[in-house]
Amino acid sequence: MNKSFKGINTICTHVGEVKDEQFKGAVSPIYMSSSYAFEEVDVKRYPRYFNTPNQEALSKKIAALEHAESALIFGSGMAAISHALMAFLKAGDHILLQQTLYGGTYNFAVTQFEKYGIEYSFTEGWTVEDFEKKIKPNTKVVYIETPSNPLLTITDMEAVANLSKQHGLISMIDNTFASPVNQNPIDFGIDIVLHSATKYMGGHSDICAGAVAASKEHIHTIWESSICFGGSLSDQTVWLLERSLKTMGLRVKAQNENAQKMAEFLAYHQDVDAVYYPGLGSHPDHEIAKKQMNGFGGMLSFELKEGIKASEFMKNLQLIKPSMSLAGVESTVLLPVLTSHSLMSTEDRAKQGIKDGLIRFSVGIEEVEDLITDIEQALAQLKSKKVLV
């Protein structure tokens, strides 16, 4: 990374470009070859080895964005998470995971670790004390997610990082909900940063990718396992992701502003029972979020008043789309019970506080007035139907 580059938008735009030496094009050329020379070359390149020209360049951009020494890109967020975890865990080891997690990560832990003789525990909460009491002699990795999916809980990254260092543990974080624009965990002592790059890094709901950023030593350890697992990303998608990252700073800033306004609107709405957003002063972890975040993100969740069916409300939306993923420029909503956390049991969702009517709201870049109008008309339709009944 060029140390003179300070601004997030400058890094997004310029770091990690592939220079077009032949035609001097303004954007990175794309190298689609899956076969490269092996004699009289400095690097023996192969897509599964994460070292094609486009793969290498994009990894530099992601490392710069996360204030890391190095990075790797993968075919999905879960590929990044699973490759990183399996690189540091073996039979007989123990991993400690935060209670509030993305459903896919939770499902990976409960369905896969036992096959490999890896022990795992979930904390009862997300304070540093919750982690400390669950550490075992054979614990090797501490895994957190903040803000968490879907309840936007906030974990004190510095406290967890310090605890991990005291016990000689590797600390990992899923930084997807924050994005590198809003949060840089390495600055707080976290060892390994993970992303579903499908989300804010991609930002347009049209690619699937994952990323890991860390020290050169930790990335090399992950690389040694990952070349065996084969979860690399195609150069076509690598190029698209690099293109998308150029506008991430602008997109996320707009989404931050919109989400704050939408959270404040919903918090005082007569038909809303609860709002989960770290930018609200009423959020129990608001002060921790202020300490470690540059912006509070574009994600929030809310619950409607009893008697208002969330599924019917979403059917009446005209602008905001009921959709499976998140972090695109368009606003979307979903029910975690049917999507992101559907693989969890009812009991385990209840432990996390995920109610059947919880709505996860990924706020896009539309005008807030239009989003408010859409929510109001959807609720009005439900009320009119009740009157008719």
Side-chain angles (χ1 to χ4, degrees):
M1 172 184 173
N2 187 327
K3 299 298 183 182
S4 66
F5 291 166
K6 304 293 185 183
I8 185 73
N9 292 318
T10 305
I11 295 170
C12 283
T13 305
H14 292 288
V15 174
E17 293 180 293
V18 178
K19 298 295 184 183
D20 183 356
E21 302 292 354
Q22 184 175 5
F23 298 108
K24 311 300 181 185
V27 300
S28 298
I30 180 171
Y31 292 87
M32 293 293 291
S33 181
S34 61
S35 184
Y36 290 84
F38 64 91
E39 291 185 313
E40 299 179 355
V41 295
D42 294 330
V43 179
K44 294 179 181 178
R45 301 186 185 277
Y46 188 62
R48 182 167 55 83
Y49 276 63
F50 303 87
N51 64 0
T52 65
N54 292 97
Q55 288 173 335
E56 276 192 348
L58 178 58
S59 293
K60 289 176 183 176
K61 188 187 293 287
I62 290 171
L65 287 166
E66 278 295 9
H67 305 173
E69 291 180 346
S70 190
L72 286 175
I73 48 174
F74 293 87
S76 70
M78 278 309 305
I81 290 167
S82 59
H83 283 229
L85 289 172
M86 298 309 289
F88 290 94
L89 294 168
K90 65 182 185 305
D93 289 344
H94 171 258
I95 176 174
L96 178 55
L97 302 108
Q98 182 177 310
Q99 178 209 50
T100 48
L101 284 179
Y102 166 56
T105 308
Y106 172 89
N107 187 61
F108 176 77
V110 301
T111 64
Q112 300 302 310
F113 283 150
E114 191 174 339
K115 296 178 185 178
Y116 301 99
I118 297 168
E119 298 178 41
Y120 63 92
S121 301
F122 292 99
T123 62
E124 294 173 5
W126 46 92
T127 68
V128 69
E129 292 78 16
D130 290 309
F131 287 92
E132 190 165 21
K133 67 177 66 170
K134 290 289 185 97
I135 292 175
K136 297 183 177 183
N138 60 333
T139 303
K140 293 294 188 292
V141 173
V142 173
Y143 187 99
I144 66 174
E145 181 179 311
T146 181
S148 71
N149 182 357
L151 290 172
L152 288 302
T153 62
I154 302 295
T155 304
D156 189 325
M157 294 187 293
E158 188 171 26
V160 171
N162 289 339
L163 177 68
S164 299
K165 285 177 171 57
Q166 289 169 19
H167 292 270
L169 310 177
I170 300 293
S171 56
M172 298 187 186
I173 183 173
D174 184 337
N175 199 34
T176 299
F177 265 30
S179 89
V181 178
N182 290 326
Q183 185 170 275
N184 298 114
I186 286 172
D187 292 350
F188 294 87
I190 297 294
D191 294 313
I192 297 171
V193 181
L194 304 157
H195 284 276
S196 171
T198 309
K199 311 305 191 296
Y200 287 106
M201 288 185 175
H204 294 80
S205 305
D206 57 6
I207 62 173
C208 185
V212 181
S215 66
K216 290 180 180 177
E217 180 182 357
H218 285 145
I219 288 296
H220 182 71
T221 299
I222 297 168
W223 177 84
E224 286 182 312
S225 293
S226 296
I227 60 173
C228 300
F229 296 147
S232 58
L233 191 62
S234 75
D235 282 299
Q236 179 73 50
T237 308
V238 168
W239 188 90
L240 288 168
L241 181 54
E242 197 255 337
R243 178 279 323 262
S244 297
L245 277 165
K246 291 183 178 183
T247 61
M248 181 176 65
L250 299 173
R251 288 186 280 103
V252 171
K253 182 179 179 182
Q255 288 165 307
N256 287 347
E257 294 174 357
N258 280 0
Q260 182 73 39
K261 292 174 183 176
M262 292 307 300
E264 291 170 358
F265 160 73
L266 291 166
Y268 291 99
H269 199 286
Q270 61 181 359
D271 294 324
V272 175
D273 198 36
V275 178
Y276 305 91
Y277 185 67
L280 293 176
S282 58
H283 191 289
D285 301 317
H286 177 65
E287 291 304 315
I288 297 175
K290 281 172 61 178
K291 182 187 80 169
Q292 63 190 29
M293 300 184 77
N294 304 314
F296 297 114
M299 298 299 302
L300 62 93
S301 291
F302 64 99
E303 296 161 4
L304 296 170
K305 292 285 188 184
E306 188 175 354
I308 305 176
K309 289 192 68 174
S311 57
E312 294 300 316
F313 162 75
M314 291 194 298
K315 287 178 184 176
N316 289 336
L317 292 169
Q318 296 175 357
L319 176 66
I320 302 167
K321 297 176 174 141
S323 188
M324 283 279 286
S325 195
L326 62 99
V329 291
E330 67 287 337
S331 292
T332 61
V333 289
L334 59 69
L335 293 175
V337 68
L338 297 179
T339 55
S340 61
H341 291 69
S342 62
L343 295 175
M344 295 177 68
S345 67
T346 303
E347 294 76 17
D348 287 329
R349 281 197 299 269
K351 286 180 186 176
Q352 287 198 18
I354 301 171
K355 298 179 181 179
D356 288 354
L358 180 75
I359 298 170
R360 194 184 74 187
F361 186 6
S362 173
V363 183
I365 64 171
E366 305 94 340
E367 276 68 32
V368 166
E369 294 78 12
D370 292 325
L371 297 175
I372 290 174
T373 298
D374 195 31
I375 289 173
E376 292 283 32
Q377 68 81 24
L379 290 168
Q381 283 194 60
L382 286 179
K383 290 178 181 178
S384 67
K385 289 175 184 177
K386 284 185 180 180
V387 172
L388 290 172
V389 170

